[in-house]
């Protein structure tokens, strides 16, 4: 089934070209969507990796620096004499003053007894069981983060109230003879990590929702302090220098990166810097690009359809113009022509063909019109001729050929009409029957031609006398009839007398006079047929003959 409105050239071209353009733009937009999504996601993840790497680098540099300081102190300590520890004490004080996060610096002899320390803290204390002393005898050592034990009571409380934690750096002090003279150590306050990270935080402060964690080799959170013990990192963390989207303890999805901290060669504590950012924020740029692509998609759709419509219109408009012209011509408008201004060769050709066809058809139409007019005129003239012929034929059919007055047929028709009129409207009419007297003798004596002339003259007399008062007709042979409508008996008798006198006094042929006898009868309402009136008039005529002729007898 064809959808209504789809079966136009313009709409089909629009849908076809629009569909093609739209498909192309959708493919392009889908490609851009995937490329943008991949690249922006990668960029967000790599940005987190970069932050992790920069923090890792700073931490690593700081650890190396602290280790270098303790090694330098150990070398310098080898010069002191056990009897005089003033040089060592001076060196310890200098180092402690050089770095504010050194909570404690001290020197313990091979027995683990503290001989010298900053501010004299723990002087004389036995540290032989502390990991930094045990490990520090063999070489440079970095001890993992731990709570303060002996120093907890000796140092001022932290402002945040969290327990003081240290990271230990220690190194052996060797004499010139290669014998162990003791171990030097520093306890750096873990707060130094805040200092290390502050610069990194400054850089990432614009990145909303970014959290930084430092975890040990068992994935315990070392930093931040405030969240110690509260936050756990996901068990499946990204690979080294990688990022991935992970669901954390709070059920939120975070883009998470992981970078290992480079430790000095002496000790690798296996720390890692983990940076996370809520995926919703990290992917905000991606969403923005998606929104832009959506707008671009809508815009390109509208543009494609508009371009397609313009293209389809440019194709269909010339055809629609031709169709409109054809409709105009069909409706009778002859003052139009098929325009020939299209740039399409096929349309131009069609337009010319239609124009030529129209000219040819109009020529034929004009010819046909002229023929029709001529034919109509001929038919009209012929019809008029026929009507005239019919009229004269009708007249001839009702005319007596000899006397040229009405014949029996005309008399019968007139009588019938008058009879019906009289019956319907109670009117009167009279009939006069006339018959030439001794007419056989005329024929016999003068010949038929004279006889005919006599009959013609009698007819003329009757026609002249009756005139408009009625109708004179030849009844047959030498017998005549007069019909007098609306005439009373007296008047009818008077007309009969006038006729008798005029006939008798008229010279019918040279020296020839004839007479005629008359019978007069009136219509009666009791008559069933007009012939009854004729019969009565005829009967009266016979009476006139019997009475000697040349007289008028009126019927009862
Ligand atoms: N010349 C001529 N004669 C006719 C015509 N029609 C009839 N006749 C003649 O009219 C005559 C009529 O004669 P009849 O019927 O005997 O009557 P009549 O001689 O007139 O005698 P009455 O009527 O008794 O007076 C006949 O001789 C007919 O031949 C006609 O058209 N022309």
């Amino acid at each position: 089934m064809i959808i209504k409105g789809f079966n136009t050239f313009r709409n089909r071209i629009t849908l076809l070209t629009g569909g093609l353009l739209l498909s192309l733009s959708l493919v392009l937009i889908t490609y851009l969507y995937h490329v943008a999504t991949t690249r922006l996601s990668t960029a967000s993840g790599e940005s987190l990796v970069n932050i992790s790497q920069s923090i890792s680098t700073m931490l690593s540099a700081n650890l190396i620096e602290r280790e270098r300081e303790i090694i330098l102190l150990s070398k310098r300590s080898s010069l002191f004499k056990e009897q005089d520890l003033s040089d060592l004490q001076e060196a310890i004080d200098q180092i402690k003053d050089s770095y504010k996060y050194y909570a404690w610096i001290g020197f313990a002899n091979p027995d683990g007894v503290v001989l010298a320390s900053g501010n004299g803290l723990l002087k004389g204390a036995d540290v032989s069981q502390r990991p930094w002393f045990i490990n520090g005898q063999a070489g440079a050592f970095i001890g993992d983060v731990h709570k303060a034990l002996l120093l907890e009571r000796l140092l001022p409380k932290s402002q945040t109230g969290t327990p003081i934690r240290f990271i230990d750096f220690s190194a052996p002090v060797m004499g010139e003879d290669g014998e162990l003279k003791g171990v030097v150590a520093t306890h750096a306050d873990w707060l130094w990590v805040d200092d290390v990270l502050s610069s990194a935080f400054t850089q990432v402060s614009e990145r909303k929702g970014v959290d930084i964690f430092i975890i040990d080799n068992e994935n315990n959170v070392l930093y931040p302090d405030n969240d110690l013990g509260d936050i756990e990192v996901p068990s499946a963390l990204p690979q080294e220098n990688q990022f991935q989207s992970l669901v954390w303890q709070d059920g939120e999805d975070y883009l998470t990166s992981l970078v290992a901290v480079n430790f000095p060669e002496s000790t690798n504590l296996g720390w890692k810097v983990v940076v996370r950012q809520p995926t919703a924020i990290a992917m905000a740029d991606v969403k923005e690009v998606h929104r832009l692509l959506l707008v671009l998609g809508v815009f390109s759709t509208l543009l494609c359809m508009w371009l397609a419509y313009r293209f389809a219109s440019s194709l269909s408009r010339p055809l629609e113009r031709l169709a409109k012209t054809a409709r105009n011509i069909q409706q009778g408008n002859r003052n139009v022509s098929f325009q020939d201004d299209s740039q399409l060769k096929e349309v131009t050709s069609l337009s010319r063909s239609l124009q030529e066809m129209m000219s040819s058809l109009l020529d034929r139409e004009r010819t046909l019109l002229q023929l029709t007019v001529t034919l109509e005129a001929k038919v009209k003239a012929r019809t008029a001729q026929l009507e005239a012929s019919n009229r004269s034929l009708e007249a001839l059919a009702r005319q007596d050929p000899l006397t040229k007055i009405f014949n029996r047929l005309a008399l019968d028709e007139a009588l019938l009409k008058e009879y019906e009129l009289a019956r319907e409207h109670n009117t009167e009419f009279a009939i006069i029957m006339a018959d030439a007297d001794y007419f056989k003798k005329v024929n016999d004596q003068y010949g038929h031609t004279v006889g005919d002339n006599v009959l013609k003259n009698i007819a003329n007399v009757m026609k002249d006398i009756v005139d408009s008062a009625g109708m004179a007709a030849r009844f047959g042979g030498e017998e005549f009839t007069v019909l007098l409508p609306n005439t009373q008996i007296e008047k009818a008798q008077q007309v009969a007398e006038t006729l008798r006198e005029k006939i008798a006094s008229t010279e019918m042929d040279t020296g020839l006079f004839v007479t005629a006898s008359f019978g007069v009868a009136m219509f009666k309402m009791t008559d069933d047929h007009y012939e009854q009136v004729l019969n009565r008039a005829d009967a009266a005529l016979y009476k006139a003959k019997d009475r000697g002729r040349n007289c008028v007898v009126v019927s009862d």
Side-chain angles (χ1 to χ4, degrees):
M1 189 181 84
I2 296 173
I3 301 165
K4 199 179 177 189
F6 183 67
N7 55 353
T8 66
F9 187 60
R10 184 191 298 238
N11 288 351
R12 287 192 182 190
I13 295 280
T14 301
L15 283 176
L16 186 67
T17 49
L20 282 173
L21 288 173
L22 192 59
S23 302
L24 278 174
S25 69
L26 282 179
V27 167
L28 189 64
I29 285 170
T30 307
Y31 173 73
L32 286 174
Y33 179 90
H34 284 295
V35 168
T37 303
T38 308
R39 292 205 175 161
L40 286 173
S41 303
T42 306
S44 296
E46 285 178 348
S47 167
L48 290 186
V49 171
N50 287 339
I51 292 169
S52 304
Q53 282 173 339
S54 66
I55 291 169
S56 169
T57 304
M58 283 189 280
L59 280 174
S60 185
N62 197 285
L63 288 168
I64 291 168
E65 176 65 17
R66 299 284 83 73
E67 188 195 56
R68 194 178 58 78
E69 275 180 351
I70 201 66
I71 290 171
L72 283 175
L73 180 61
S74 73
K75 298 245 180 341
R76 207 166 146 185
S77 301
S78 65
L79 301 173
F80 81 95
K81 297 183 173 48
E82 259 186 66
Q83 296 77 12
D84 183 6
L85 293 173
S86 58
D87 287 348
L88 180 61
Q89 185 66 48
E90 191 182 336
I92 286 171
D93 289 340
Q94 278 177 3
I95 291 173
K96 187 169 187 312
D97 291 342
S98 70
Y99 187 62
K100 65 177 179 178
Y101 291 112
Y102 280 144
W104 183 84
I105 302 180
F107 168 75
N109 66 12
D111 297 327
V113 177
V114 176
L115 298 182
S117 65
N119 299 332
L121 288 174
L122 297 180
K123 199 169 179 182
D126 180 4
V127 293
S128 59
Q129 298 306 309
R130 305 302 308 280
W132 62 263
F133 180 78
I134 296 167
N135 292 297
Q137 294 177 53
F141 169 76
I142 302 173
D144 216 337
V145 182
H146 63 88
K147 284 185 182 175
L149 296 172
L150 301 173
L151 287 169
E152 177 73 44
R153 284 175 280 108
L154 303 174
L155 292 172
K157 301 281 183 198
S158 73
Q159 289 178 345
T160 58
T162 52
I164 299 169
R165 291 190 299 156
F166 295 135
I167 175 167
D168 300 338
F169 298 88
S170 63
V173 178
M174 309 301 284
E176 289 178 351
D177 52 2
E179 280 184 27
L180 181 71
K181 295 174 80 172
V183 175
V184 286
T186 57
H187 295 343
D189 193 328
W190 183 236
L191 288 174
W192 68 267
V193 177
D194 281 332
D195 202 19
V196 170
L197 296 185
S198 60
S199 57
F201 269 121
T202 308
Q203 288 170 23
V204 300
S205 59
E206 290 174 7
R207 299 186 64 90
K208 290 180 182 176
V210 171
D211 294 319
I212 299 168
F213 300 89
I214 298 170
I215 58 174
D216 63 16
N217 58 353
E218 290 174 347
N219 289 359
N220 296 312
V221 174
L222 300 174
Y223 177 88
D225 292 339
N226 291 342
D227 298 320
L228 189 66
D230 291 339
I231 289 187
E232 287 179 14
V233 294
S235 53
L237 285 166
Q239 298 285 310
E240 170 82 21
N241 295 323
Q242 297 293 315
F243 65 89
Q244 90 186 69
S245 188
L246 292 175
V247 178
W248 281 55
Q249 187 185 12
D250 57 1
E252 291 288 320
D253 200 82
Y254 293 88
L255 197 59
T256 309
S257 68
L258 183 143
V259 171
V261 177
N262 285 325
F263 276 82
E265 280 181 15
S266 59
T267 313
N268 188 355
L269 296 177
W271 291 359
K272 285 158 286 221
V273 176
V274 175
V275 175
R276 73 174 189 184
Q277 187 179 28
T279 307
I281 297 174
M283 302 299 275
D285 288 347
V286 177
K287 280 187 179 170
E288 180 62 18
V289 168
H290 288 178
R291 201 177 62 79
L292 282 173
L293 284 174
L294 185 70
V295 171
L296 184 66
V298 171
F299 177 73
S300 66
T301 300
L302 293 175
L303 184 67
C304 287
M305 293 315 290
W306 182 74
L307 286 174
Y309 185 77
R310 289 290 304 268
F311 174 63
S313 295
S314 72
L315 289 180
S316 67
R317 199 173 292 121
L319 294 176
E320 287 167 4
R321 254 199 321 257
L322 292 179
K324 190 179 172 192
T325 305
R327 268 199 306 279
N328 273 333
I329 292 167
Q330 188 198 8
Q331 287 163 4
N333 188 353
R334 299 290 184 265
N335 298 322
V336 291
S337 62
F338 291 96
Q339 285 183 1
D340 192 13
D341 58 354
S342 172
Q343 293 173 346
L344 297 172
K345 237 178 173 180
E346 291 86 347
V347 176
T348 307
S349 171
L350 176 64
S351 175
R352 275 193 205 128
S353 298
L354 285 171
Q355 185 63 41
E356 284 165 15
M357 187 179 78
M358 188 187 85
S359 301
S360 163
L361 284 173
L362 285 177
D363 283 348
R364 287 187 196 180
E365 188 187 59
R366 272 192 290 276
T367 308
L368 277 174
L369 212 62
Q370 283 168 356
L371 280 174
T372 305
V373 169
T374 311
L375 205 62
E376 276 179 2
K378 281 184 179 173
V379 168
K380 213 171 174 182
R382 188 77 185 130
T383 304
Q385 277 178 356
L386 283 171
E387 283 173 356
S389 296
N390 281 341
R391 277 197 300 276
S392 72
L393 277 174
E394 277 193 15
L396 281 173
R398 285 161 181 75
Q399 190 185 51
D400 176 55
L402 179 67
T403 61
K404 308 299 180 196
I405 63 171
F406 290 114
N407 62 9
R408 177 74 183 270
L409 174 65
L411 176 69
D412 281 342
E413 288 174 352
L415 265 175
L416 180 61
K417 269 189 192 171
E418 203 55 43
Y419 169 76
E420 288 173 347
L421 199 69
R423 287 196 70 83
E424 199 175 333
H425 299 288
N426 201 22
T427 53
E428 294 181 300
F429 70 90
I431 292 287
I432 301 171
M433 292 293 283
D435 187 279
D437 296 333
Y438 305 118
F439 192 67
K440 186 174 180 304
K441 283 184 182 173
V442 174
N443 275 331
D444 292 345
Q445 195 171 341
Y446 298 98
H448 261 79
T449 305
V450 174
D452 286 347
N453 286 337
V454 171
L455 290 177
K456 286 181 196 172
N457 284 326
I458 291 172
N460 287 337
V461 169
M462 294 191 79
K463 194 170 72 176
D464 290 345
I465 299 293
V466 173
D467 196 20
S468 60
M471 164 186 189
R474 186 181 177 195
F475 193 77
E478 83 289 14
E479 202 170 357
F480 295 87
T481 307
V482 174
L483 167 64
L484 296 170
N486 297 315
T487 306
Q488 294 178 340
I489 187 67
E490 295 79 12
K491 177 66 180 171
Q493 187 176 5
Q494 190 186 340
V495 171
E497 276 299 331
T498 306
L499 286 170
R500 185 191 64 76
E501 285 171 7
K502 186 66 180 173
I503 289 169
S505 60
T506 300
E507 186 179 20
M508 297 296 172
D509 200 277
T510 312
L512 176 61
F513 292 87
V514 296
T515 61
S517 301
F518 294 83
V520 181
M522 292 297 296
F523 161 75
K524 293 178 182 175
M525 286 302 275
T526 52
D527 290 336
D528 296 328
H529 196 276
Y530 65 85
E531 281 191 355
Q532 288 183 282
V533 191
L534 282 175
N535 290 339
R536 284 200 295 278
D538 207 35
L541 170 60
Y542 276 104
K543 279 185 183 173
K545 290 279 184 183
D546 286 347
R547 286 181 190 173
R549 297 178 175 81
N550 193 22
C551 62
V552 175
V553 173
V554 177
S555 175
D556 298 331

